Amino acid sequence: MNYTKMIAQKIEHTKKIFFWAIAFMLLSNVTYGQTKSDTLRIFLIGNSFSQNASAYLPEMAKEKGKHLIIGRAELGGHSLEQHWKYVEAAEANPESAAGRPYKGKSLRMLLSEGKWDIITLQQASYLSADKESYTPYAQKLYDFVKSIQPKAEVVLHQTWAYRTDAKTFGRVAAGQLAQNQAEMWQKSREAYHAAAKQLKVRLIPVGDAFEEVATGKQYAYQKDAAFDFANPTYPNLPNQVNSLNMGYSWKNNKEFTFDANHANEAGRYLGGLIWYAFLFKDSPENIQFVPNKVPADFAKYLRKVAAQTVKNSNKK
């Protein structure tokens, strides 16, 4: 009798061990699944402007405990048309180098590397104000992306107008350039919104945020009227406080260079704040990270602008 009871107790004990082992496995799967679902995978089809705008996004996501994976198909100065031409070349001949410009890979190859949650498109800044330049390439790229990643959300990354003192501005139509920053901005905004409406997609409003800063009363960039731009001497530079663009610099201690287009540290910070708020639906005003070259008061203002810009964009 005692022997039989002992056997029964062992069987009951074995059942309990088995039960808890199964429970642990199920719990582990749930936990893993939650961790995996908390990871946002974004893929950027663009150029140096998408690189600029997303430069500090990883630091911001990490600070807030967000899991972020970024894939990139970015080539300097490239337009929607140029990215699409590579797709056409690769689809015609997958082995052709003409269709594999992204470090030896085609866009199909890159998009097929796992699951992507959000995929971004953008126009080259020079063409961003020319509405006709988006057609038919934005639609073609959208359709191609969705054929490979049907569950991914495709969005447009809205780029920015050049700094107010740029020597030339982007194209508004064939053979016609914008006369100033305001015109480039207005036409660019119209073009991006028209493309977004056609594709039925959302916009990452980086360009809106740049414009708000550029036309604001307190922090708008003003060209240094006291600097002798015709006869610069190394290492002197004009006052470029509150600029969001690279502006003037010295190359190799002898060449006085000017870049009114690309974002500097402050511009990249603002772009990152917009991307963070857009992607994670979290206020950028709570971000503590600030690049070393961005003054604290300016950074605080940029966080406020980013928060309001995304809020306004969500209302539309």
Side-chain angles (χ1 to χ4, degrees), residues 190-226:
E190 290 174 1
Y192 268 112
H193 277 267
K197 183 178 181 180
Q198 177 190 346
L199 300 177
K200 297 181 175 63
V201 301
R202 295 190 296 156
L203 276 170
I204 305 176
V206 176
D208 284 350
F210 268 65
E211 179 67 7
E212 177 63 28
V213 176
T215 57
K217 295 180 179 180
Q218 184 178 1
Y219 286 95
Y221 162 78
Q222 299 291 334
K223 187 174 181 178
D224 187 352

Side-chain angles (χ1 to χ4, degrees), residues 158 185 189 193 203-215 244 270-271 273-275 277-278 283-285 301-316:
Q158 178 200 46
W185 161 245
R189 192 173 196 279
H193 277 267
L203 276 170
I204 305 176
V206 176
D208 284 350
F210 268 65
E211 179 67 7
E212 177 63 28
V213 176
T215 57
L244 297 176
L270 178 59
L273 292 168
I274 294 290
W275 278 63
F278 178 92
S283 175
E285 290 192 273
Y301 169 71
L302 295 179
R303 291 193 295 270
K304 181 179 179 181
V305 168
Q308 190 61 49
T309 299
V310 174
K311 183 178 180 181
N312 292 342
S313 179
N314 290 335
K315 292 179 180 178
K316 298 174 182 178

Side-chain angles (χ1 to χ4, degrees), residues 12 23 27 44 67 117 138 257:
E12 187 64 26
L27 181 61
L44 284 57
H67 302 281
D117 301 306
T257 64

Side-chain angles (χ1 to χ4, degrees), residues 18-33:
F18 180 75
F19 170 80
W20 284 112
I22 293 297
F24 178 77
M25 290 175 63
L26 291 173
L27 181 61
S28 296
N29 286 337
V30 170
T31 302
Y32 175 76

Side-chain angles (χ1 to χ4, degrees), residues 77-302:
H78 273 55
S79 65
L80 293 167
E81 179 180 5
Q82 288 173 299
H83 283 292
W84 175 248
K85 293 298 184 183
Y86 295 135
V87 170
E88 285 187 319
E91 295 299 292
N93 180 6
E95 301 304 318
S96 172
R100 302 170 69 170
Y102 312 103
K103 299 181 179 179
K105 294 185 178 182
S106 67
L107 188 56
R108 176 178 290 278
M109 293 168 68
L110 292 174
L111 288 173
S112 300
E113 294 176 349
K115 171 189 172 185
W116 299 104
D117 301 306
I118 294 179
I119 298 171
T120 71
L121 301 173
Q122 68 167 74
Q123 183 56 295
S125 64
Y126 177 74
L127 298 173
S128 63
D130 182 357
K131 188 182 298 185
E132 297 302 317
S133 71
Y134 292 71
T135 305
Y137 310 108
Q139 185 69 61
K140 286 178 177 291
L141 282 168
Y142 174 91
D143 293 340
F144 179 73
V145 166
K146 293 295 280 187
S147 72
I148 300 172
Q149 294 283 340
K151 294 184 179 181
E153 179 188 9
V154 178
V155 302
L156 286 178
H157 165 222
Q158 178 200 46
T159 55
W160 52 90
Y162 301 158
R163 202 167 79 176
T164 55
D165 56 344
K167 293 177 172 54
T168 58
F169 295 90
R171 194 178 89 181
V172 296
Q176 181 181 351
L177 299 182
Q179 295 300 302
N180 49 46
Q181 187 268 352
E183 184 183 9
M184 181 180 176
W185 161 245
Q186 181 183 11
K187 297 292 186 181
S188 174
R189 192 173 196 279
E190 290 174 1
Y192 268 112
H193 277 267
K197 183 178 181 180
Q198 177 190 346
L199 300 177
K200 297 181 175 63
V201 301
R202 295 190 296 156
L203 276 170
I204 305 176
V206 176
D208 284 350
F210 268 65
E211 179 67 7
E212 177 63 28
V213 176
T215 57
K217 295 180 179 180
Q218 184 178 1
Y219 286 95
Y221 162 78
Q222 299 291 334
K223 187 174 181 178
D224 187 352
F227 189 82
D228 186 358
F229 290 94
N231 301 288
T233 56
Y234 177 81
N236 298 320
L237 286 170
N239 184 345
Q240 300 181 95
V241 65
N242 299 334
S243 173
L244 297 176
N245 306 86
M246 295 294 292
Y248 292 94
S249 63
W250 287 97
K251 182 179 180 181
N252 299 325
N253 299 341
K254 59 182 180 180
E255 184 181 353
F256 191 58
T257 64
F258 182 49
D259 181 354
N261 308 351
H262 293 91
N264 62 10
E265 300 297 293
R268 294 176 187 184
Y269 184 59
L270 178 59
L273 292 168
I274 294 290
W275 278 63
Y276 173 83
F278 178 92
L279 294 173
F280 296 107
K281 298 178 174 62
D282 188 25
S283 175
E285 290 192 273
N286 298 322
I287 296 291
Q288 299 298 312
F289 166 78
V290 179
N292 292 332
K293 295 183 180 180
V294 181
D297 61 334
F298 193 35
K300 182 178 180 180
Y301 169 71
L302 295 179

